[in-house]
Amino acid sequence: MTEREGWTANWAVEREERMAHLARLPGKAHHERLEAINRVSRLLSTNGTELSRHIATFVGTGRHVQDLTDEFEHEAVRFLHNYIASVATLRDVQRSTHRMIWPERIPVDQRRDSSDRRTVWEVSTYEPKVTELFGDDDIKFLFDLRNFTVHYSAPVMSIGTTWRHRPPRPVEWINTVQLKRSELDKFSKWSGPAKRFLRTQEKDVEFLPLIEKYSQRARKFYEWFWFEVRQAVTVEVEEFLSKSNEFGLWLGEEMAKPDFDPAPGGMPIPGSFRRNRARAHLERCAYGTTGWGGITVDVDGVAVVGDSDWAPLPPVGKYRRPEDGE
């Protein structure tokens, strides 16, 4: 075995063992799940912003409906579809998350049918909060609108410009973008709350107030849900992040490289390798090492940390590369 092959083999074993350890940690799955919730939440927020921004190029302006191109309606439908879809995506990701963290299912005699996958935490904690923030008929309509757009048809917009004159006030110019009621009425699978909401609508349905109301409620719910989940998994996630960061800084020091002259065919700049490794070493030292042991709970409910299962990472240079020199 050559000198380089020996370094590669020894260093690779260390790296693979550490990566395998990190992959086994429960905190890894919890961290990834929290990241997934964040991504979907940002998706919902961005879709809502894009829809509102697009509608605002007409509603509240002095433009006349005849000045709009067909593209305006096409884009309005697309943005609304994206927003409604992301509402359902966020709900589904949250459901899969809490069922992973609190998996105990409700007793058989409490299940609605054989496909009922609800958990004890879901029934006792999650569903009451959903009812509190999302139980209104208009928000139920918004949820049903997702089924309408996915399983029946893309919504049809009613876009118009009207004037209203109430002396002595000046003439009021009104632009509207609504959902065409005649198309909504063709859908036969509206829930009871959605039907009640539709009965309160005289003609076409204004959806922007619904979206604004839902967005405000969704932010409150997200904050509540995030706190519940984070509190439940904080120990496991902190362990994963601590070990991952420590491992990443070790890799950064081990794999430090010199700076190269930017000229074509430029050579390594003298002294840059040691400087870059020293900088990486300082970052690693500033972070430090905590070590983590197996965590158990004693009879009094107190968490007890056992012997560390995360041995100190070897000093950089233990697996010295041939090009590093002595």
Side-chain angles (χ1 to χ4, degrees):
M1 179 181 293
T2 66
E3 186 179 2
R4 168 157 288 281
E5 289 172 338
W7 169 79
T8 301
N10 292 328
W11 181 82
V13 167
E14 184 75 46
R15 182 190 63 181
E16 294 303 317
E17 288 179 349
R18 298 288 177 161
M19 292 176 64
H21 179 95
L22 293 173
R24 292 191 299 267
L25 294 175
K28 180 177 187 295
H30 294 319
H31 174 68
E32 291 172 349
R33 181 56 56 172
L34 289 170
E35 290 293 296
I37 296 174
N38 269 334
R39 286 195 302 272
V40 178
S41 177
R42 287 194 295 268
L43 179 66
L44 175 68
S45 177
T46 301
N47 286 337
T49 299
E50 289 179 343
L51 174 61
S52 298
R53 185 183 296 133
H54 178 69
I55 299 298
T57 63
F58 174 62
V59 174
T61 73
R63 299 177 68 185
H64 192 279
V65 65
Q66 293 180 352
D67 297 331
L68 300 178
T69 65
D70 291 342
E71 190 66 17
F72 177 86
E73 181 177 359
H74 294 160
E75 286 297 276
V77 171
R78 182 173 71 87
F79 287 132
L80 176 61
H81 182 278
N82 290 347
Y83 181 82
I84 295 299
S86 58
V87 168
T89 301
L90 179 59
R91 180 186 58 193
D92 291 345
V93 170
Q94 289 173 336
R95 179 183 294 134
S96 62
T97 297
H98 71 66
R99 287 181 179 177
M100 178 181 69
I101 297 172
W102 297 283
E104 182 186 356
R105 293 179 62 187
I106 57 176
V108 175
D109 60 355
Q110 296 181 19
R111 298 173 191 172
R112 296 163 178 164
D113 51 48
S114 59
S115 64
D116 191 346
R117 310 298 300 177
R118 291 179 302 159
T119 65
V120 173
W121 188 86
E122 185 172 358
V123 172
S124 66
T125 307
Y126 182 81
E127 289 184 350
K129 195 67 177 181
V130 169
T131 301
E132 174 190 338
L133 292 176
F134 302 130
D136 296 351
D137 289 352
D138 50 359
I139 293 183
K140 292 287 190 180
F141 166 78
L142 195 64
F143 288 160
D144 280 9
L145 190 60
R146 182 262 180 189
N147 297 330
F148 178 95
T149 60
V150 172
H151 301 299
Y152 180 71
S153 173
V156 178
M157 300 287 184
S158 171
I159 304 172
T161 297
T162 58
W163 293 268
R164 183 167 58 193
H165 189 204
R166 297 179 178 176
R169 298 178 183 177
V171 174
E172 187 178 2
W173 181 287
I174 303 173
N175 287 335
T176 57
V177 178
Q178 301 172 319
L179 298 176
K180 188 168 288 189
R181 176 66 178 275
S182 60
E183 293 298 317
L184 297 176
D185 287 341
K186 295 177 182 179
F187 187 55
S188 62
K189 296 184 178 180
W190 296 110
S191 65
K195 290 178 181 178
R196 285 197 300 269
F197 167 74
L198 286 171
R199 285 197 292 268
T200 67
Q201 305 299 296
E202 295 182 1
K203 296 181 180 179
D204 296 329
V205 178
E206 287 194 57
F207 60 88
L208 288 180
L210 303 183
I211 289 176
E212 177 60 28
K213 178 178 178 178
Y214 171 78
S215 296
Q216 292 176 358
R217 300 281 181 90
R219 282 192 289 271
K220 292 181 180 178
F221 187 85
Y222 179 83
E223 291 172 358
W224 170 83
F225 185 77
W226 178 269
F227 176 79
E228 291 288 323
V229 171
R230 195 68 173 82
Q231 189 176 43
V233 301
T234 186
V235 173
E236 292 89 347
V237 170
E238 289 299 329
E239 176 186 5
F240 171 73
L241 293 177
S242 178
K243 291 178 176 179
S244 295
N245 292 337
E246 187 179 335
F247 176 62
L249 291 168
W250 178 79
L251 280 180
E253 187 178 352
E254 274 282 2
M255 302 303 294
K257 292 180 173 57
D259 297 327
F260 285 80
D261 190 317
M267 299 297 290
I269 299 175
S272 62
F273 170 73
R274 292 183 180 276
R275 182 171 60 252
N276 290 342
R277 172 162 280 184
R279 185 181 298 115
H281 183 70
L282 287 175
E283 292 179 8
R284 186 181 170 199
C285 289
Y287 185 80
T289 180
T290 54
W292 285 82
I295 300 175
T296 58
V297 179
D298 64 18
V299 294
D300 297 319
V302 178
V304 179
V305 179
D307 295 333
S308 176
D309 59 356
W310 183 253
L313 286 154
V316 171
K318 175 181 179 180
Y319 310 124
R320 186 170 295 281
R321 297 174 293 187
E323 60 267 31
D324 292 346
E326 293 298 329

